[in-house]
Amino acid sequence: MPMFVLAGIVLAAMSARGVEVPVKAAGLEGHWASDCQPIGKNGRHGVAIQITIKGERMRAEAQMYATNACQTPTFKLSYRGSIVFQRLADGSIVFDHMVRSIILTPQASDVVIQYNMEGDHGCGLQGWKINVQKSVAGKTCYPFSFPIEGTTLHDVAWLNGDALRLGAFPILWSNTVSAKRPTKPSSTVYHKVIGS
């Protein structure tokens, strides 16, 4: 029996039992990107998200824009994490990742002015400057409350060809216990970038 057929049978058996497998075998490894998506009140702003998974490392960037056509960058949120557990189960990939850093970088003067206003405008931080990053791990940047560094988040991924959907990341950050692991995919679809 050819080795690749045998490997496929073993992987299928492991998937059926929900056995832990390497990220690459699970299919998560690679560079993934979303299309421009409208967000904010009445969908007036835009966001484009990129996620890169290589080995146990997970990186993501959410680029926010002033318009829903993803023009005029306003700020960027960068995430670094480590995948600490993954298994194939019931047509999905169950995985946990640990927060290493969550960084916010304002890219427009009006964003900096708003973030430096009194109150809760700037994630509870002051001294914001254009293109100068600050850690927002453990901070609330309305409407998001980000976990502290070292927190493990529990998520699920669904793969369909070159399309990836996640249950929580990077929209939901409260899934800090396995009981809060999502049970269905979010609406955001990521496509694998060719060559990744």
Side-chain angles (χ1 to χ4, degrees), residues 15-29:
S15 174
R17 293 196 318 264
V19 175
E20 188 171 346
V21 296
V23 174
K24 193 166 189 174
L28 284 178
E29 188 157 291

PDB file of all heavy atoms in Angstrom, residues 15-29:
ATOM      1  N   SER A  15      -8.601  11.790  13.089  1.00  0.00           N
ATOM      2  CA  SER A  15      -9.631  12.822  13.045  1.00  0.00           C
ATOM      3  C   SER A  15     -10.928  12.321  13.651  1.00  0.00           C
ATOM      4  O   SER A  15     -11.589  13.030  14.403  1.00  0.00           O
ATOM      5  CB  SER A  15      -9.861  13.267  11.597  1.00  0.00           C
ATOM      6  OG  SER A  15     -10.929  14.163  11.531  1.00  0.00           O
ATOM      7  N   ALA A  16     -11.302  11.105  13.338  1.00  0.00           N
ATOM      8  CA  ALA A  16     -12.555  10.552  13.828  1.00  0.00           C
ATOM      9  C   ALA A  16     -12.543  10.430  15.351  1.00  0.00           C
ATOM     10  O   ALA A  16     -13.556  10.604  16.009  1.00  0.00           O
ATOM     11  CB  ALA A  16     -12.804   9.184  13.194  1.00  0.00           C
ATOM     12  N   ARG A  17     -11.374  10.136  15.914  1.00  0.00           N
ATOM     13  CA  ARG A  17     -11.278   9.975  17.364  1.00  0.00           C
ATOM     14  C   ARG A  17     -10.962  11.293  18.063  1.00  0.00           C
ATOM     15  O   ARG A  17     -10.950  11.355  19.284  1.00  0.00           O
ATOM     16  CB  ARG A  17     -10.187   8.956  17.695  1.00  0.00           C
ATOM     17  CG  ARG A  17     -10.538   7.556  17.255  1.00  0.00           C
ATOM     18  CD  ARG A  17      -9.636   6.535  17.924  1.00  0.00           C
ATOM     19  NE  ARG A  17      -8.245   6.918  17.979  1.00  0.00           N
ATOM     20  CZ  ARG A  17      -7.319   6.546  17.102  1.00  0.00           C
ATOM     21  NH1 ARG A  17      -7.651   5.804  16.074  1.00  0.00           N
ATOM     22  NH2 ARG A  17      -6.069   6.918  17.249  1.00  0.00           N
ATOM     23  N   GLY A  18     -10.652  12.345  17.319  1.00  0.00           N
ATOM     24  CA  GLY A  18     -10.312  13.616  17.935  1.00  0.00           C
ATOM     25  C   GLY A  18      -8.920  13.605  18.542  1.00  0.00           C
ATOM     26  O   GLY A  18      -8.691  14.172  19.595  1.00  0.00           O
ATOM     27  N   VAL A  19      -7.957  12.954  17.890  1.00  0.00           N
ATOM     28  CA  VAL A  19      -6.600  12.852  18.408  1.00  0.00           C
ATOM     29  C   VAL A  19      -5.800  14.073  17.987  1.00  0.00           C
ATOM     30  O   VAL A  19      -5.951  14.592  16.882  1.00  0.00           O
ATOM     31  CB  VAL A  19      -5.932  11.551  17.888  1.00  0.00           C
ATOM     32  CG1 VAL A  19      -4.477  11.481  18.307  1.00  0.00           C
ATOM     33  CG2 VAL A  19      -6.690  10.341  18.400  1.00  0.00           C
ATOM     34  N   GLU A  20      -4.912  14.522  18.877  1.00  0.00           N
ATOM     35  CA  GLU A  20      -4.080  15.688  18.598  1.00  0.00           C
ATOM     36  C   GLU A  20      -3.152  15.411  17.411  1.00  0.00           C
ATOM     37  O   GLU A  20      -2.561  14.342  17.308  1.00  0.00           O
ATOM     38  CB  GLU A  20      -3.252  16.041  19.832  1.00  0.00           C
ATOM     39  CG  GLU A  20      -2.511  17.343  19.690  1.00  0.00           C
ATOM     40  CD  GLU A  20      -1.871  17.788  20.991  1.00  0.00           C
ATOM     41  OE1 GLU A  20      -2.197  17.245  22.054  1.00  0.00           O
ATOM     42  OE2 GLU A  20      -1.038  18.693  20.901  1.00  0.00           O
ATOM     43  N   VAL A  21      -3.045  16.380  16.507  1.00  0.00           N
ATOM     44  CA  VAL A  21      -2.174  16.267  15.343  1.00  0.00           C
ATOM     45  C   VAL A  21      -1.396  17.566  15.178  1.00  0.00           C
ATOM     46  O   VAL A  21      -1.802  18.606  15.688  1.00  0.00           O
ATOM     47  CB  VAL A  21      -2.982  15.990  14.042  1.00  0.00           C
ATOM     48  CG1 VAL A  21      -3.686  14.652  14.133  1.00  0.00           C
ATOM     49  CG2 VAL A  21      -3.961  17.102  13.760  1.00  0.00           C
ATOM     50  N   PRO A  22      -0.268  17.533  14.471  1.00  0.00           N
ATOM     51  CA  PRO A  22       0.483  18.769  14.231  1.00  0.00           C
ATOM     52  C   PRO A  22      -0.339  19.772  13.429  1.00  0.00           C
ATOM     53  O   PRO A  22      -1.224  19.401  12.661  1.00  0.00           O
ATOM     54  CB  PRO A  22       1.695  18.288  13.425  1.00  0.00           C
ATOM     55  CG  PRO A  22       1.804  16.835  13.713  1.00  0.00           C
ATOM     56  CD  PRO A  22       0.402  16.360  13.933  1.00  0.00           C
ATOM     57  N   VAL A  23      -0.026  21.053  13.604  1.00  0.00           N
ATOM     58  CA  VAL A  23      -0.749  22.124  12.911  1.00  0.00           C
ATOM     59  C   VAL A  23      -0.711  21.919  11.409  1.00  0.00           C
ATOM     60  O   VAL A  23      -1.715  22.067  10.727  1.00  0.00           O
ATOM     61  CB  VAL A  23      -0.151  23.507  13.276  1.00  0.00           C
ATOM     62  CG1 VAL A  23      -0.785  24.607  12.450  1.00  0.00           C
ATOM     63  CG2 VAL A  23      -0.351  23.784  14.758  1.00  0.00           C
ATOM     64  N   LYS A  24       0.443  21.561  10.885  1.00  0.00           N
ATOM     65  CA  LYS A  24       0.577  21.393   9.438  1.00  0.00           C
ATOM     66  C   LYS A  24      -0.341  20.285   8.943  1.00  0.00           C
ATOM     67  O   LYS A  24      -1.017  20.424   7.930  1.00  0.00           O
ATOM     68  CB  LYS A  24       2.033  21.099   9.069  1.00  0.00           C
ATOM     69  CG  LYS A  24       2.310  21.209   7.589  1.00  0.00           C
ATOM     70  CD  LYS A  24       3.793  21.254   7.309  1.00  0.00           C
ATOM     71  CE  LYS A  24       4.034  21.595   5.854  1.00  0.00           C
ATOM     72  NZ  LYS A  24       5.443  21.792   5.558  1.00  0.00           N
ATOM     73  N   ALA A  25      -0.382  19.179   9.683  1.00  0.00           N
ATOM     74  CA  ALA A  25      -1.250  18.064   9.288  1.00  0.00           C
ATOM     75  C   ALA A  25      -2.718  18.455   9.379  1.00  0.00           C
ATOM     76  O   ALA A  25      -3.537  18.012   8.589  1.00  0.00           O
ATOM     77  CB  ALA A  25      -0.964  16.853  10.165  1.00  0.00           C
ATOM     78  N   ALA A  26      -3.045  19.309  10.337  1.00  0.00           N
ATOM     79  CA  ALA A  26      -4.436  19.731  10.496  1.00  0.00           C
ATOM     80  C   ALA A  26      -4.870  20.669   9.380  1.00  0.00           C
ATOM     81  O   ALA A  26      -6.054  20.836   9.127  1.00  0.00           O
ATOM     82  CB  ALA A  26      -4.624  20.412  11.857  1.00  0.00           C
ATOM     83  N   GLY A  27      -3.917  21.306   8.697  1.00  0.00           N
ATOM     84  CA  GLY A  27      -4.239  22.185   7.576  1.00  0.00           C
ATOM     85  C   GLY A  27      -4.276  23.659   7.915  1.00  0.00           C
ATOM     86  O   GLY A  27      -4.573  24.486   7.059  1.00  0.00           O
ATOM     87  N   LEU A  28      -3.964  24.030   9.149  1.00  0.00           N
ATOM     88  CA  LEU A  28      -4.003  25.437   9.542  1.00  0.00           C
ATOM     89  C   LEU A  28      -2.799  26.236   9.049  1.00  0.00           C
ATOM     90  O   LEU A  28      -2.883  27.451   8.886  1.00  0.00           O
ATOM     91  CB  LEU A  28      -4.063  25.565  11.075  1.00  0.00           C
ATOM     92  CG  LEU A  28      -5.395  25.278  11.749  1.00  0.00           C
ATOM     93  CD1 LEU A  28      -5.249  25.414  13.263  1.00  0.00           C
ATOM     94  CD2 LEU A  28      -6.475  26.207  11.236  1.00  0.00           C
ATOM     95  N   GLU A  29      -1.688  25.573   8.846  1.00  0.00           N
ATOM     96  CA  GLU A  29      -0.468  26.301   8.518  1.00  0.00           C
ATOM     97  C   GLU A  29      -0.596  27.030   7.190  1.00  0.00           C
ATOM     98  O   GLU A  29      -1.140  26.513   6.223  1.00  0.00           O
ATOM     99  CB  GLU A  29       0.729  25.357   8.483  1.00  0.00           C
ATOM    100  CG  GLU A  29       2.043  26.096   8.335  1.00  0.00           C
ATOM    101  CD  GLU A  29       3.226  25.291   8.842  1.00  0.00           C
ATOM    102  OE1 GLU A  29       3.332  25.077  10.053  1.00  0.00           O
ATOM    103  OE2 GLU A  29       4.047  24.894   7.987  1.00  0.00           O
TER     104      GLU A  29
END
